[in-house]
Amino acid sequence: MKLYKTEHGILLEKEDLFYRIPETDWDIVVNRDDLYDWLQLQSESLIPVTFTADSPMPEVLAPIGSQEVWASGVTYFRSREARMEESEKAGGGSFYDRVYDAERPELFFKSTAPRVIGHKGTVRIRRDSTWDVPEPELTLFASESGTLVGYTIGNDMSSRSIEGENPLYLPQAKSYTGSTALGPCLYVPEQPLSPETVIDLSIVRGGEEVFNGEITLSQMKRKADELLRFLYRELSFSTGCYLMTGTGIIPPSDFTLQVGDVVHITIEPIGTLTNTVG
C-alpha cells in the first residue's frame, strides 16, 4: 500500500484504488507500529475515489510531517571507495575504510521537515561547490518506538568537493537548502523489501541521459534494523523518523551535476522520485 500526502489531504493507494484518509494530520496517521494493519482496516471502510482529466489527482507533496531526516554513510562498498578517493588528498581516506568495517555505522543529521523537497520539486547544488552528485537511497520510516513501518525514496544531494576537502566539512556538504528530497509516497508493505530490490538512477541533461546506474539492496553491508537500532540508541523521535540508508551508485569522478539536470530515482515497488537541479 502507498500513502500520498497531497494538497488536499492524505490518499491511500491499494491495488490500484485510491481512498481518502479521514485523518488529515500526517504525523498521527503514520506514527503507529501497526500501520499496515491500520491501513488495511481503513481501506475496508472507505469508498474509493476516482480521478479523471477534469478532476485529476491533487499534487503530491513530500511524504513528511514534522519528522527529522537522518542519513547513513559508507553502507555500500562502492560508497567506501568513492569516499576514500575524494578524501585522499586531505588525508581522510582511512576514516571511511575504518567505518565500513566498524561495528558502529556512520549516521548524521540530514534535514528538518520544512526543508525537504518532494517529487517534481527542485533540488540544489551549492554555489561554493565544484563537484556535486545525487545519491539515490532507500529511505526507511520508523515509528516513535523505532519500528520499521514503511519506505520511501531519498535523494541525498552531496557536495563531493567540500566533503573531500576535509571530512569535518560533512555537514556543509550534506545539509543545505535543497539538499534533501523524498517521495513520491510512503510505501507500507506487509513484508520487508526483498534484498533483490533494485535502485536505479538516471540523470538527464538537455533531453539526453548522461548517466545511468543501478544496484540491489543485497549489496548494502548494513541492514535496516541495525541502522535503526543505532539511530534510536540515544535519540527519541516523538513522531517517528526517516533514515536514508546510503548509496551504492556513484557517478565517475569526472561527472558533476549541472543546473537544469533532471534526476530520476526508481525503486520498485515504491515508484520514481524525479527532481530538477537548481
Side-chain angles (χ1 to χ4, degrees):
M1 291 181 285
K2 298 179 181 181
L3 278 176
Y4 295 90
K5 185 178 182 182
T6 79
E7 297 175 307
H8 304 299
I10 301 171
L11 290 173
L12 167 64
E13 181 184 4
K14 177 188 175 185
E15 298 174 354
D16 298 324
L17 294 176
F18 287 89
Y19 306 86
R20 293 192 189 279
I21 300 294
E23 174 60 60
T24 59
D25 189 320
W26 181 265
D27 292 349
I28 292 175
V29 169
V30 301
N31 185 28
R32 56 185 80 229
D33 294 347
D34 62 344
L35 181 57
Y36 179 85
D37 292 336
W38 185 81
L39 292 176
Q40 285 278 35
L41 289 175
Q42 293 294 306
S43 68
E44 293 170 4
S45 61
L46 297 173
I47 298 174
V49 295
T50 302
F51 299 112
T52 64
D54 294 329
S55 181
M57 180 175 171
E59 180 181 351
V60 172
L61 307 176
I64 192 168
S66 65
Q67 293 78 23
E68 295 176 0
V69 181
W70 284 67
S72 317
V74 200
T75 55
Y76 292 81
F77 185 76
R78 178 67 185 95
S79 178
R80 167 187 172 274
E81 287 185 314
R83 296 295 177 262
M84 291 177 67
E85 173 188 337
E86 71 188 14
S87 300
E88 184 177 3
K89 291 182 180 179
S94 65
F95 295 164
Y96 297 104
D97 186 30
R98 289 158 61 188
V99 78
Y100 181 79
D101 292 319
E103 177 188 3
R104 183 185 297 274
E106 179 193 12
L107 298 173
F108 56 91
F109 178 76
K110 179 66 180 177
S111 181
T112 57
R115 289 196 176 99
V116 175
I117 308 302
H119 177 56
K120 296 185 179 180
T122 299
V123 293
R124 293 183 60 253
I125 51 179
R126 292 183 60 118
R127 292 186 177 91
D128 57 355
S129 175
T130 58
W131 185 12
D132 305 277
V133 295
E135 295 191 3
E137 306 189 17
L138 175 69
T139 301
L140 315 175
F141 177 71
S143 64
E144 180 181 6
S145 71
T147 301
L148 175 61
V149 296
Y151 306 88
T152 190
I153 301 171
N155 183 354
D156 173 16
M157 293 285 288
S158 302
S159 166
R160 294 188 66 183
S161 60
I162 292 176
E163 184 179 359
E165 186 178 344
N166 190 315
L168 295 179
Y169 295 161
L170 175 71
Q172 295 175 76
K174 293 285 191 175
S175 299
Y176 57 89
T177 301
S179 69
T180 308
L182 296 177
C185 65
L186 178 64
Y187 176 63
V188 184
E190 185 175 13
Q191 300 294 332
L193 288 177
S194 164
E196 299 311 310
T197 299
V198 175
I199 302 176
D200 180 87
L201 169 65
S202 173
I203 303 173
V204 177
R205 179 175 298 160
E208 296 185 5
E209 186 175 68
V210 292
F211 178 81
N212 182 269
E214 65 176 38
I215 198 166
T216 63
L217 297 184
S218 64
Q219 300 301 304
M220 188 167 71
K221 183 176 186 286
R222 307 279 186 177
K223 303 308 178 187
D225 58 348
E226 172 189 358
L227 293 171
L228 288 172
R229 187 171 66 251
F230 272 94
L231 178 64
Y232 277 71
R233 178 175 286 188
E234 291 290 345
L235 280 171
S236 59
F237 302 98
S238 61
T239 58
C241 183
Y242 285 92
L243 177 60
M244 294 180 168
T245 58
T247 188
I249 306 173
I250 309 288
S253 58
D254 61 352
F255 178 90
T256 187
L257 285 170
Q258 297 179 11
V259 172
D261 287 353
V262 180
V263 180
H264 304 282
I265 304 171
T266 300
I267 307 177
E268 294 299 347
I270 303 172
T272 297
L273 171 64
T274 297
N275 297 107
T276 301
V277 177

